[in-house]
Amino acid sequence: MTIETKGYRPNVGIALFNAQGLVLIGRTESSGPEIVEPDHDWQMPQGGIDGTEDIVAAARREVWEETNARSLDLLGTTDDWWHYDFPPYDGPPHKLTPFRGQRQRWVAFRFTGDDSEIDVAHPAGGQPQEFFSWRWERLERTPDLVVSYKRTVYRSVAEVFRPFAAA
């Protein structure tokens, strides 16, 4: 199957804002076709949508699986699907290799818990570790921190969710 005939994997991205209007980003490593570029190894939580799973339910599950955070108030969602293509990949088979990239809807939450609730080193639900460190960052800076093939989506997220960045 060529990249031209592959489809996009349904995915949800999450902008998790703290009380100061900063978003949670995590440092990640390459996984299959999601190649991490040097000095661009930060991203917001994201993950696949299971079957007919609701976007907000998928977002809550992904945040919990990747960060252990559960203290979340819904702020908003994107109506449109945005997509990105994976860079060329010739490594071993991976759960993402059947896809040309991912199509995403995004969800914004306000984190209402204490930072001690966030634990990326011990993912919930027996999931593999996605992030190897985390921090709070200004939303408008995230496109410069993420891999190049996700930047267009991150610029759209920063524009649409800008009102939630105000503390």
Side-chain angles (χ1 to χ4, degrees):
M1 181 180 289
T2 66
I3 195 164
E4 290 79 20
T5 60
K6 291 181 176 182
Y8 290 95
R9 177 180 181 241
N11 187 276
V12 62
I14 301 101
L16 181 61
F17 291 90
N18 68 8
Q20 291 73 42
L22 302 174
V23 291
L24 183 140
I25 58 172
R27 179 165 276 163
T28 190
E29 296 177 350
S30 294
S31 179
E34 292 241 295
I35 306 292
V36 173
E37 300 161 345
D39 300 321
H40 298 284
D41 52 357
W42 293 92
Q43 69 176 33
M44 291 183 265
Q46 67 174 53
I49 300 168
D50 296 337
T52 60
E53 188 176 30
D54 173 78
I55 297 296
V56 174
R60 286 184 187 281
R61 177 183 51 75
E62 284 295 334
V63 168
W64 174 67
E65 287 176 356
E66 294 180 9
T67 71
N68 282 285
R70 289 193 176 233
S71 303
L72 315 173
D73 287 344
L74 179 64
L75 297 174
T77 64
T78 60
D79 294 326
D80 296 327
W81 289 91
W82 297 321
H83 74 278
Y84 63 85
D85 290 346
F86 298 133
Y89 175 74
D90 62 359
H94 185 274
K95 69 179 182 179
L96 297 177
T97 53
F99 304 98
R100 95 183 271 162
Q102 303 208 71
R103 66 184 179 103
Q104 296 182 309
R105 286 197 45 209
W106 280 76
V107 176
F109 292 113
R110 181 78 61 199
F111 178 62
T112 59
D114 185 85
D115 283 3
S116 63
E117 182 177 334
I118 299 170
D119 181 0
V120 299
H122 303 94
Q127 297 299 311
Q129 188 172 358
E130 298 273 344
F131 296 133
F132 297 88
S133 61
W134 71 276
R135 72 179 198 232
W136 297 108
E137 182 58 74
R138 292 190 341 258
L139 178 64
E140 69 272 12
R141 285 199 17 89
T142 61
D144 296 328
L145 301 171
V146 73
V147 292
S148 60
Y149 56 93
K150 294 183 183 183
R151 281 193 195 124
T152 299
V153 169
Y154 271 60
R155 285 183 189 112
S156 296
V157 170
E159 178 66 27
V160 170
F161 288 161
R162 182 183 325 172
F164 304 133

